[in-house]
């Protein structure tokens, strides 16, 4: 039987932001409200510091910790909340993009002083492509920042979002008094509290005579502001929000626990319960009887003596059950899992059943790669987890010929985890690693040595971009292959890729070979 009740009470989402806007702090405060942690500071250790570009041993250490915080589940008012953690460091942007395929909505955190930053723009663009419902939380109101109206304008322009404020700040910085909740129509006064939850003072509405007592002349400013807000911005429309066409905005200070409760309470009210996912066969609805799910993240064990991994599976439909045979569609074989893990608060525990929206951690010895689908027997493949054309490239060279096998295995598994992409030049058989961030090259070298006992070095290659290419026109295809023989490689799946050395050569190829389609993501 399909458990509609379980589906309906789940909210699976991610908090995203430009580094330093307050994603970690907000996550932590939500856990605090959910009773999942008792004091602040617990999530911090998961954070990959932005200074870590050179000190990346620290990243490895933190990667170890972050298994526990990859998914943080907790219950609040009988709603099961799953927060999926995304790495803040921009070199891991692709991890973040993949994690976004496993959520049903996002909260974007923006620093009131800095406004919309580059990483915010990138992340929101991905969400918009997927039509993911977006809530905006403007953080750090305890500091001086941009004017609220100005900021909303900036968000609309730069992020191309249609906004509607559901809360409104009264002052900011030293003069920050509180926020008016435009959804529940009440007022919360600001009392700084960093560690624990303070009780908010709640009023009825803007015309409550007691408000003047607390706000003095600020009541008039607030009333004027609200008149503009209600006149200029459209009323909140749930259907539009759920289609990704309207974004409610909240103000607050995560560090001071302020505005976080409003966010959480409204979030559980309006955020979508688990949504279905598109497959190569049909749209799979969560209430479908048969279990389906897909792998969106693979996490390696840091202990070199236990080179196992955890594959994170998002349950899309049906009920996932322990010790039950499921079809690994790509490998066309049945696998069962004796100890699938669920993530509650920051602990892992073996779980007997999981429902749509849940994330299950499956112990993996190298069978999975990102994007793999599990079903009860049906042959279908979920779509929407493409690899992006990398931006940085290097030849990888084995420095210990006796350990070629270890190197090949290591590279193979790291690519399955989605750390980077491997291309093999068709003519020379040389291997090229392509990444989206510089840090990955170090990560790969280090992990190959420590987890697989293989050593490699890199050699520079001057490449602009790779593009997958296909065509029905055999003559053009063959001509292209012949003329560009030295610039064609195969990806891990054996698909042909054009290794363009400049934007000019890519442009020329596109102009000359009009029947060839060049693709910059692997899913086409
Ligand atoms: P991130 O995950 O988005 O990168 O941001 P994070 O939560 O780590 O916050 C970045 C910095 O901003 C932290 O300070 C954090 O304490 C601070 N911060 C978060 N929310 C607020 C807020 O509402 N008001 C103010 N004033 N500051 C806030 P840090 O000094 O970098 O780190 P820490 O030393 O406090 O850990």
């Amino acid at each position: 039987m399909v458990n509609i009740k379980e589906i309906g009470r789940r909210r699976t989402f991610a908090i995203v932001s430009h580094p330093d806007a307050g994603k970690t702090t907000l996550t932590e405060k939500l856990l605090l409200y959910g009773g999942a942690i008792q004091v602040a500071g617990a999530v911090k250790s998961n954070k990959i510091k932005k200074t870590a570009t050179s000190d990346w041993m620290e990243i490895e250490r933190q990667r170890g910790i972050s298994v526990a915080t990859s998914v943080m589940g907790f219950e609040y008012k009988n709603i099961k909340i799953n927060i999926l953690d995304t790495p803040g460091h921009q070199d891991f942007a692709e991890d973040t993009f993949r994690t976004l395929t496993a959520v049903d909505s996002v909260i974007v955190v923006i620093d009131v002083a800095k406004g919309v930053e580059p990483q915010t723009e990138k992340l929101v663009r991905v969400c918009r492509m997927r039509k993911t419902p977006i809530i905006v939380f403007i953080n750090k109101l305890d500091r001086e920042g941009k004017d609220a109206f100005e900021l909303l304008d900036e968000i609309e322009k730069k992020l191309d979002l249609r906004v509607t404020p559901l809360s409104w700040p009264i002052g900011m910085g030293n003069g920050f008094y509180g926020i008016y909740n435009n959804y529940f129509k009440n007022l919360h006064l600001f009392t700084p509290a960093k560690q624990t939850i303070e009780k908010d003072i709640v009023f009825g509405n803007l015309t409550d005579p007691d408000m003047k007592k607390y706000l003095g002349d600020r009541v008039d400013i607030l009333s004027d502001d609200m008149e503009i807000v209600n006149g200029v911005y459209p009323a909140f429309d749930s259907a539009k929000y759920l289609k990704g066409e309207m974004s409610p905005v909240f103000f607050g200070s995560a560090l001071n626990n302020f505005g976080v409760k409003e966010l959480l309470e409204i979030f559980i009210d309006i955020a979508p319960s688990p949504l279905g996912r598109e497959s190569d066969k049909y749209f799979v609805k969560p209430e479908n009887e048969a279990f389906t799910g897909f792998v969106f993240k693979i996490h390696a064990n840091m202990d070199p003596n236990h080179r196992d991994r955890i594959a994170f599976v998002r349950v899309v439909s049906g009920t996932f059950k322990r010790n039950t045979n499921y079809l690994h569609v790509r490998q066309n074989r049945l696998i069962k899992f004796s100890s699938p893990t669920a993530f509650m608060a920051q602990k892992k525990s073996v779980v007997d059943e999981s429902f749509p929206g849940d994330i299950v951690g499956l112990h993996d010895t190298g069978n999975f790669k990102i994007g793999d689908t599990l079903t009860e027997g049906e042959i279908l493949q979920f779509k929407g987890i493409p690899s992006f054309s990398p931006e940085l490239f290097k030849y990888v060279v084995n420095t210990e010929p006796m350990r070629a096998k270890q190197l090949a295995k290591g590279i193979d598994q790291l690519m399955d985890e989605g750390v980077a992409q491997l291309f093999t030049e068709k003519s020379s058989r040389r291997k090229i690693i392509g990444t989206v961030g510089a840090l990955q090259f170090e990560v790969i070298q280090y992990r190959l040595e420590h987890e697989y006992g293989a050593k490699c070095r890199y050699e520079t290659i001057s490449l602009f971009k790779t593009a997958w290419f296909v065509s029905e026109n055999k003559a053009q295809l063959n001509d292209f292959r012949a003329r560009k023989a030295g610039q064609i490689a195969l990806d891990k799946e054996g698909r042909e890729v054009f290794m363009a050395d400049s934007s000019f050569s890519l442009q020329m190829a596109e102009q000359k070979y009009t029947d060839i389609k060049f693709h910059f993501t692997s899913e086409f």
Side-chain angles (χ1 to χ4, degrees):
M1 258 262 308
V2 187
N3 206 328
I4 299 288
K5 225 169 97 190
E6 287 297 340
I7 299 173
R9 72 180 198 95
R10 276 166 167 71
R11 304 284 183 275
T12 301
F13 74 107
I15 304 178
V16 297
S17 75
H18 188 91
D20 253 1
K23 175 175 82 75
T24 315
T25 314
L26 181 63
T27 306
E28 194 160 81
K29 295 307 163 80
L30 291 175
L31 292 178
L32 206 58
Y33 276 105
I37 53 171
Q38 270 64 51
V39 284
V43 186
K44 262 287 190 273
S45 51
N46 179 35
K47 197 178 144 188
I48 293 177
K49 292 264 183 273
K50 36 278 154 197
T51 50
T53 352
S54 51
D55 177 18
W56 82 273
M57 274 299 292
E58 177 60 15
I59 292 185
E60 281 303 299
R61 196 187 62 75
Q62 292 180 14
R63 232 169 42 82
I65 299 166
S66 69
V67 175
T69 50
S70 288
V71 184
M72 288 160 283
F74 65 94
E75 300 229 351
Y76 185 76
K77 299 196 169 167
N78 201 32
I79 297 289
K80 166 90 192 291
I81 294 172
N82 295 313
I83 307 182
L84 273 57
D85 191 35
T86 56
H89 200 293
Q90 63 168 10
D91 281 11
F92 294 94
E94 212 170 336
D95 281 12
T96 301
F97 297 152
R98 285 192 290 252
T99 297
L100 290 177
T101 65
V103 302
D104 302 302
S105 70
V106 300
I107 296 179
V108 178
V109 184
I110 290 175
D111 182 325
V112 67
K114 296 194 178 137
V116 174
E117 296 177 86
Q119 193 75 353
T120 331
E121 288 187 58
K122 266 196 201 163
L123 290 162
V124 168
R125 213 175 302 133
V126 174
C127 294
R128 286 180 46 81
M129 254 163 54
R130 310 179 54 83
K131 299 200 169 22
T132 310
I134 298 172
I135 287 177
V136 178
F137 181 77
I138 297 175
N139 191 28
K140 308 196 186 181
L141 264 288
D142 58 316
R143 288 201 186 150
E144 292 299 331
K146 299 187 181 186
D147 169 72
F149 287 110
E150 200 183 296
L151 204 47
L152 292 181
D153 270 359
E154 186 179 327
I155 292 170
E156 289 209 317
K157 284 206 187 87
K158 286 196 180 163
L159 300 180
D160 199 15
L161 294 177
R162 197 123 196 259
V163 298
T164 181
L166 287 189
S167 73
W168 194 256
I170 303 160
M172 65 166 70
N174 285 336
F176 183 47
Y177 240 71
I179 52 170
Y180 177 67
N181 185 332
N182 204 20
Y183 187 77
F184 290 131
K185 307 286 177 205
N186 56 25
L187 177 85
H188 289 219
L189 288 187
F190 177 62
T191 33
K194 290 185 185 168
Q195 295 294 317
T196 50
I197 301 164
E198 294 287 310
K199 209 169 159 358
D200 299 304
I201 306 169
V202 184
F203 291 92
N205 56 46
L206 272 177
T207 50
D208 191 324
D210 264 358
M211 238 164 117
K212 190 109 189 159
K213 198 171 94 199
Y214 283 92
L215 287 185
D217 291 345
R218 290 182 187 86
V219 174
D220 303 327
I221 300 173
L222 177 64
S223 299
D224 288 351
D225 278 358
M226 290 321 293
E227 212 177 300
I228 303 175
V229 167
N230 294 327
V232 170
Y233 297 99
F236 174 68
D237 179 332
S238 171
K240 284 193 175 153
Y241 157 67
L242 293 175
K243 281 196 271 182
E245 292 167 5
M246 176 183 280
S247 293
V249 178
F250 295 83
F251 293 84
S253 165
L255 188 65
N256 293 289
N257 286 337
F258 197 75
V260 177
K261 194 167 158 219
E262 283 87 348
L263 177 69
L264 181 58
E265 304 241 308
I266 298 174
F267 172 80
I268 57 172
D269 215 31
I270 66 174
S273 51
L275 305 169
R277 291 288 185 279
E278 201 60 61
S279 78
D280 59 352
K281 295 277 166 60
Y282 55 90
F283 185 81
V284 182
K285 293 186 187 148
E287 57 274 15
N288 286 7
E289 200 74 49
F291 159 75
T292 60
F294 64 89
V295 176
F296 66 94
K297 173 176 178 145
I298 293 174
H299 212 300
N301 194 330
M302 294 309 298
D303 181 349
N305 298 321
H306 301 276
R307 211 192 302 131
D308 51 355
R309 317 189 286 186
I310 298 179
F312 290 80
V313 172
R314 148 94 191 203
V315 179
V316 178
S317 66
T319 308
F320 173 91
K321 295 195 177 110
R322 189 157 87 99
N323 279 328
T324 304
N325 271 317
Y326 290 119
L327 179 68
H328 183 315
V329 177
R330 181 175 54 86
Q331 292 188 341
N332 192 24
R333 68 189 182 96
L334 295 173
I335 316 186
K336 69 175 155 195
F337 304 93
S338 57
S339 50
T341 45
F343 304 86
M344 274 312 271
Q346 292 178 282
K347 290 192 201 78
K348 287 194 297 173
S349 59
V350 173
V351 67
D352 288 322
E353 283 191 331
S354 291
F355 301 97
D358 282 341
I359 309 300
V360 204
L362 302 179
H363 180 253
D364 173 38
T365 47
N367 289 317
F368 286 117
K369 65 180 195 174
I370 302 241
D372 276 345
T373 301
L374 284 176
T375 69
E376 278 185 19
E378 200 174 355
I379 313 273
L380 64 80
Q381 175 69 42
F382 283 106
K383 299 205 294 193
I385 313 196
S387 302
F388 295 88
S389 168
E391 321 233 311
L392 304 168
F393 302 89
K394 281 179 184 174
Y395 279 121
V396 54
V397 181
N398 182 9
T399 52
E400 288 187 355
M402 299 299 287
R403 302 189 69 79
K405 241 167 110 180
Q406 282 87 341
L407 183 73
K409 183 172 180 198
I411 291 181
D412 196 49
Q413 294 207 344
L414 293 182
M415 300 306 125
D416 283 353
E417 273 180 44
V419 178
Q421 290 178 63
L422 183 74
F423 304 99
T424 309
E425 275 186 348
K426 248 179 144 180
S427 52
S428 69
R429 309 301 302 164
R430 293 193 75 181
K431 294 197 181 322
I432 296 167
I433 285 180
T435 69
V436 286
L439 210 51
Q440 269 85 347
F441 288 109
E442 286 177 63
V443 172
I444 291 166
Q445 211 166 27
Y446 178 90
R447 289 189 57 193
L448 283 173
E449 189 175 340
H450 289 83
E451 293 171 36
Y452 299 90
K455 282 194 179 152
C456 72
R457 70 182 159 77
Y458 297 117
E459 278 178 15
T460 0
I461 174 169
S462 165
L463 274 185
F464 165 67
K465 227 172 182 26
T466 54
W468 286 270
F469 64 93
V470 280
S471 178
E472 301 276 298
N473 184 336
K474 287 247 157 45
Q476 265 200 19
L477 209 51
N478 286 336
D479 183 61
F480 180 70
R481 282 183 184 132
R483 280 173 194 275
K484 301 284 178 191
Q487 284 174 272
I488 293 176
L490 298 177
D491 74 1
K492 248 192 106 217
E493 272 70 53
R495 297 188 300 178
E496 287 180 306
V497 181
F498 174 46
M499 319 289 283
D501 50 13
S502 66
S503 79
F504 178 72
S505 80
L506 187 59
Q507 234 173 10
M508 290 306 286
E510 283 178 315
Q511 273 169 21
K512 182 166 175 199
Y513 297 96
T514 44
D515 281 352
I516 297 183
K517 274 222 64 74
F518 294 90
H519 297 276
F520 300 97
T521 60
S522 65
E523 207 170 68
F524 47 81

